[in-house]
Amino acid sequence: MSELVYRSMTLPDIEQGYEIECSCFSQPWSVESLIGEVIRNDAASYVVAEDNGKIVGYAGMWQMFDEAHMTNIAVAAEYRCRGIATNLILCLMQTAKANGGKRMTLEVREFNHKAQRVYSALGFRHAGTRRKYYSDTGENALILWNDSIDNTLRAHADGSCSESL
């Protein structure tokens, strides 16, 4: 594996991002939704992890004032457990901070313990539960908050965003 590049998602990345989305989720976002996020939603920011021109992961967020809400994150199965999700989140945090963001929130499936460990290592803490949030399984969503993006970025100063997003 070569060195991964982390950068802003562009329209040509959506097809590969959608393939990853479909491989990761039982109810994937549509191509149209991803296009709308990247092209038309001024509150949205999306980043990709790229390996020699191949998109291997992506993540997105919405930002309103000083709060960012991570909307989705997906990494291709053969690239998991390599720190890519962590770096994608750190890239989103850098972007949020550059736009005045102080805090970040997300929802995670109640039984997705692997993802919860990643989020915990990045300073996210349980703040509530959305009952039966996931319509495909009826599973609850845990609401997680990171109350200091700045502290997380300082603690992970070796993060590898390839550009100022």
mmCIF file of all heavy atoms in Angstrom, residues 85-110:
data_model
loop_
_atom_site.group_PDB
_atom_site.id
_atom_site.type_symbol
_atom_site.label_atom_id
_atom_site.label_comp_id
_atom_site.label_asym_id
_atom_site.label_seq_id
_atom_site.Cartn_x
_atom_site.Cartn_y
_atom_site.Cartn_z
ATOM 1 N N ALA A 85 -10.210 5.506 9.085
ATOM 2 C CA ALA A 85 -11.388 6.172 9.662
ATOM 3 C C ALA A 85 -10.957 7.274 10.623
ATOM 4 O O ALA A 85 -11.498 8.388 10.597
ATOM 5 C CB ALA A 85 -12.284 5.159 10.366
ATOM 6 N N THR A 86 -9.968 6.977 11.452
ATOM 7 C CA THR A 86 -9.461 7.993 12.392
ATOM 8 C C THR A 86 -8.967 9.215 11.638
ATOM 9 O O THR A 86 -9.312 10.357 11.981
ATOM 10 C CB THR A 86 -8.330 7.397 13.254
ATOM 11 O OG1 THR A 86 -8.883 6.355 14.063
ATOM 12 C CG2 THR A 86 -7.683 8.446 14.130
ATOM 13 N N ASN A 87 -8.171 8.997 10.588
ATOM 14 C CA ASN A 87 -7.645 10.136 9.834
ATOM 15 C C ASN A 87 -8.737 10.909 9.107
ATOM 16 O O ASN A 87 -8.683 12.133 9.016
ATOM 17 C CB ASN A 87 -6.565 9.676 8.858
ATOM 18 C CG ASN A 87 -5.256 9.391 9.554
ATOM 19 O OD1 ASN A 87 -4.953 9.969 10.595
ATOM 20 N ND2 ASN A 87 -4.485 8.491 9.000
ATOM 21 N N LEU A 88 -9.749 10.207 8.603
ATOM 22 C CA LEU A 88 -10.864 10.911 7.963
ATOM 23 C C LEU A 88 -11.579 11.814 8.958
ATOM 24 O O LEU A 88 -11.916 12.967 8.653
ATOM 25 C CB LEU A 88 -11.849 9.906 7.349
ATOM 26 C CG LEU A 88 -11.391 9.208 6.074
ATOM 27 C CD1 LEU A 88 -12.294 8.018 5.756
ATOM 28 C CD2 LEU A 88 -11.351 10.182 4.894
ATOM 29 N N ILE A 89 -11.792 11.309 10.163
ATOM 30 C CA ILE A 89 -12.460 12.119 11.200
ATOM 31 C C ILE A 89 -11.593 13.313 11.578
ATOM 32 O O ILE A 89 -12.094 14.437 11.731
ATOM 33 C CB ILE A 89 -12.811 11.259 12.426
ATOM 34 C CG1 ILE A 89 -13.823 10.181 12.045
ATOM 35 C CG2 ILE A 89 -13.357 12.124 13.564
ATOM 36 C CD1 ILE A 89 -13.978 9.066 13.072
ATOM 37 N N LEU A 90 -10.286 13.090 11.722
ATOM 38 C CA LEU A 90 -9.387 14.202 12.043
ATOM 39 C C LEU A 90 -9.402 15.255 10.934
ATOM 40 O O LEU A 90 -9.358 16.459 11.220
ATOM 41 C CB LEU A 90 -7.970 13.695 12.297
ATOM 42 C CG LEU A 90 -7.791 12.888 13.584
ATOM 43 C CD1 LEU A 90 -6.424 12.213 13.609
ATOM 44 C CD2 LEU A 90 -7.993 13.770 14.817
ATOM 45 N N CYS A 91 -9.498 14.824 9.675
ATOM 46 C CA CYS A 91 -9.615 15.775 8.568
ATOM 47 C C CYS A 91 -10.892 16.599 8.681
ATOM 48 O O CYS A 91 -10.876 17.819 8.479
ATOM 49 C CB CYS A 91 -9.572 15.053 7.226
ATOM 50 S SG CYS A 91 -7.966 14.370 6.794
ATOM 51 N N LEU A 92 -11.995 15.922 9.006
ATOM 52 C CA LEU A 92 -13.244 16.661 9.206
ATOM 53 C C LEU A 92 -13.101 17.653 10.351
ATOM 54 O O LEU A 92 -13.582 18.791 10.269
ATOM 55 C CB LEU A 92 -14.402 15.700 9.480
ATOM 56 C CG LEU A 92 -14.888 14.849 8.319
ATOM 57 C CD1 LEU A 92 -16.027 13.938 8.778
ATOM 58 C CD2 LEU A 92 -15.337 15.699 7.138
ATOM 59 N N MET A 93 -12.448 17.234 11.423
ATOM 60 C CA MET A 93 -12.246 18.133 12.564
ATOM 61 C C MET A 93 -11.400 19.343 12.175
ATOM 62 O O MET A 93 -11.690 20.464 12.603
ATOM 63 C CB MET A 93 -11.611 17.387 13.734
ATOM 64 C CG MET A 93 -12.560 16.441 14.418
ATOM 65 S SD MET A 93 -11.722 15.636 15.816
ATOM 66 C CE MET A 93 -13.154 14.964 16.679
ATOM 67 N N GLN A 94 -10.361 19.122 11.375
ATOM 68 C CA GLN A 94 -9.543 20.251 10.908
ATOM 69 C C GLN A 94 -10.388 21.225 10.105
ATOM 70 O O GLN A 94 -10.284 22.445 10.267
ATOM 71 C CB GLN A 94 -8.367 19.756 10.064
ATOM 72 C CG GLN A 94 -7.276 19.115 10.861
ATOM 73 C CD GLN A 94 -6.140 18.615 9.981
ATOM 74 O OE1 GLN A 94 -6.161 18.747 8.747
ATOM 75 N NE2 GLN A 94 -5.136 18.014 10.596
ATOM 76 N N THR A 95 -11.229 20.683 9.238
ATOM 77 C CA THR A 95 -12.108 21.527 8.431
ATOM 78 C C THR A 95 -13.084 22.285 9.319
ATOM 79 O O THR A 95 -13.285 23.493 9.148
ATOM 80 C CB THR A 95 -12.878 20.672 7.405
ATOM 81 O OG1 THR A 95 -11.934 20.009 6.569
ATOM 82 C CG2 THR A 95 -13.812 21.508 6.563
ATOM 83 N N ALA A 96 -13.687 21.585 10.264
ATOM 84 C CA ALA A 96 -14.632 22.236 11.179
ATOM 85 C C ALA A 96 -13.941 23.354 11.949
ATOM 86 O O ALA A 96 -14.470 24.471 12.062
ATOM 87 C CB ALA A 96 -15.224 21.203 12.143
ATOM 88 N N LYS A 97 -12.768 23.064 12.481
ATOM 89 C CA LYS A 97 -12.035 24.074 13.259
ATOM 90 C C LYS A 97 -11.716 25.297 12.399
ATOM 91 O O LYS A 97 -11.881 26.434 12.843
ATOM 92 C CB LYS A 97 -10.756 23.482 13.829
ATOM 93 C CG LYS A 97 -9.965 24.480 14.640
ATOM 94 C CD LYS A 97 -8.688 23.898 15.194
ATOM 95 C CE LYS A 97 -7.911 25.001 15.906
ATOM 96 N NZ LYS A 97 -6.626 24.541 16.384
ATOM 97 N N ALA A 98 -11.284 25.055 11.165
ATOM 98 C CA ALA A 98 -10.960 26.164 10.259
ATOM 99 C C ALA A 98 -12.179 27.040 9.981
ATOM 100 O O ALA A 98 -12.040 28.224 9.663
ATOM 101 C CB ALA A 98 -10.393 25.622 8.948
ATOM 102 N N ASN A 99 -13.373 26.456 10.130
ATOM 103 C CA ASN A 99 -14.619 27.198 9.914
ATOM 104 C C ASN A 99 -15.290 27.605 11.217
ATOM 105 O O ASN A 99 -16.497 27.851 11.249
ATOM 106 C CB ASN A 99 -15.568 26.358 9.057
ATOM 107 C CG ASN A 99 -15.046 26.188 7.648
ATOM 108 O OD1 ASN A 99 -14.645 27.143 7.012
ATOM 109 N ND2 ASN A 99 -15.018 24.960 7.170
ATOM 110 N N GLY A 100 -14.521 27.623 12.303
ATOM 111 C CA GLY A 100 -15.043 28.081 13.588
ATOM 112 C C GLY A 100 -15.654 26.991 14.454
ATOM 113 O O GLY A 100 -16.240 27.284 15.493
ATOM 114 N N GLY A 101 -15.515 25.733 14.052
ATOM 115 C CA GLY A 101 -16.097 24.633 14.817
ATOM 116 C C GLY A 101 -15.372 24.388 16.126
ATOM 117 O O GLY A 101 -14.145 24.434 16.187
ATOM 118 N N LYS A 102 -16.140 24.114 17.143
ATOM 119 C CA LYS A 102 -15.591 23.818 18.472
ATOM 120 C C LYS A 102 -15.958 22.409 18.938
ATOM 121 O O LYS A 102 -15.211 21.805 19.687
ATOM 122 C CB LYS A 102 -16.115 24.831 19.482
ATOM 123 C CG LYS A 102 -15.917 26.268 19.079
ATOM 124 C CD LYS A 102 -15.100 27.013 20.075
ATOM 125 C CE LYS A 102 -14.925 28.462 19.712
ATOM 126 N NZ LYS A 102 -13.897 28.719 18.755
ATOM 127 N N ARG A 103 -17.130 21.915 18.501
ATOM 128 C CA ARG A 103 -17.655 20.628 18.968
ATOM 129 C C ARG A 103 -18.105 19.809 17.772
ATOM 130 O O ARG A 103 -18.423 20.357 16.727
ATOM 131 C CB ARG A 103 -18.862 20.849 19.886
ATOM 132 C CG ARG A 103 -18.637 21.793 21.016
ATOM 133 C CD ARG A 103 -19.942 22.143 21.744
ATOM 134 N NE ARG A 103 -20.454 20.974 22.443
ATOM 135 C CZ ARG A 103 -21.734 20.688 22.597
ATOM 136 N NH1 ARG A 103 -22.664 21.457 22.074
ATOM 137 N NH2 ARG A 103 -22.116 19.626 23.260
ATOM 138 N N MET A 104 -18.171 18.478 17.982
ATOM 139 C CA MET A 104 -18.659 17.592 16.921
ATOM 140 C C MET A 104 -19.531 16.514 17.546
ATOM 141 O O MET A 104 -19.240 16.032 18.640
ATOM 142 C CB MET A 104 -17.482 16.956 16.180
ATOM 143 C CG MET A 104 -17.900 16.059 15.021
ATOM 144 S SD MET A 104 -16.495 15.406 14.083
ATOM 145 C CE MET A 104 -16.281 16.723 12.905
ATOM 146 N N THR A 105 -20.575 16.147 16.821
ATOM 147 C CA THR A 105 -21.482 15.097 17.271
ATOM 148 C C THR A 105 -21.671 14.072 16.157
ATOM 149 O O THR A 105 -21.352 14.344 14.989
ATOM 150 C CB THR A 105 -22.844 15.683 17.713
ATOM 151 O OG1 THR A 105 -23.634 14.638 18.304
ATOM 152 C CG2 THR A 105 -23.601 16.302 16.554
ATOM 153 N N LEU A 106 -22.197 12.917 16.527
ATOM 154 C CA LEU A 106 -22.518 11.864 15.571
ATOM 155 C C LEU A 106 -23.441 10.866 16.236
ATOM 156 O O LEU A 106 -23.599 10.861 17.461
ATOM 157 C CB LEU A 106 -21.243 11.162 15.073
ATOM 158 C CG LEU A 106 -20.350 10.504 16.123
ATOM 159 C CD1 LEU A 106 -20.757 9.064 16.401
ATOM 160 C CD2 LEU A 106 -18.902 10.542 15.668
ATOM 161 N N GLU A 107 -24.055 10.025 15.423
ATOM 162 C CA GLU A 107 -24.819 8.874 15.912
ATOM 163 C C GLU A 107 -24.096 7.624 15.456
ATOM 164 O O GLU A 107 -23.561 7.585 14.357
ATOM 165 C CB GLU A 107 -26.247 8.842 15.363
ATOM 166 C CG GLU A 107 -27.154 9.945 15.855
ATOM 167 C CD GLU A 107 -27.141 11.170 14.970
ATOM 168 O OE1 GLU A 107 -26.537 11.131 13.871
ATOM 169 O OE2 GLU A 107 -27.706 12.195 15.375
ATOM 170 N N VAL A 108 -24.115 6.608 16.319
ATOM 171 C CA VAL A 108 -23.497 5.328 15.990
ATOM 172 C C VAL A 108 -24.423 4.213 16.457
ATOM 173 O O VAL A 108 -25.097 4.351 17.487
ATOM 174 C CB VAL A 108 -22.085 5.190 16.617
ATOM 175 C CG1 VAL A 108 -22.136 5.256 18.132
ATOM 176 C CG2 VAL A 108 -21.384 3.921 16.151
ATOM 177 N N ARG A 109 -24.452 3.140 15.701
ATOM 178 C CA ARG A 109 -25.281 1.998 16.098
ATOM 179 C C ARG A 109 -24.858 1.501 17.473
ATOM 180 O O ARG A 109 -23.670 1.387 17.763
ATOM 181 C CB ARG A 109 -25.181 0.862 15.075
ATOM 182 C CG ARG A 109 -25.912 1.163 13.785
ATOM 183 C CD ARG A 109 -25.781 0.000 12.793
ATOM 184 N NE ARG A 109 -26.397 0.344 11.528
ATOM 185 C CZ ARG A 109 -27.648 0.021 11.197
ATOM 186 N NH1 ARG A 109 -28.398 -0.677 12.026
ATOM 187 N NH2 ARG A 109 -28.153 0.385 10.030
ATOM 188 N N GLU A 110 -25.857 1.171 18.269
ATOM 189 C CA GLU A 110 -25.648 0.729 19.643
ATOM 190 C C GLU A 110 -24.684 -0.464 19.740
ATOM 191 O O GLU A 110 -23.900 -0.557 20.686
ATOM 192 C CB GLU A 110 -27.009 0.361 20.230
ATOM 193 C CG GLU A 110 -27.004 -0.083 21.649
ATOM 194 C CD GLU A 110 -28.413 -0.336 22.161
ATOM 195 O OE1 GLU A 110 -29.283 -0.792 21.374
ATOM 196 O OE2 GLU A 110 -28.638 -0.075 23.347
#
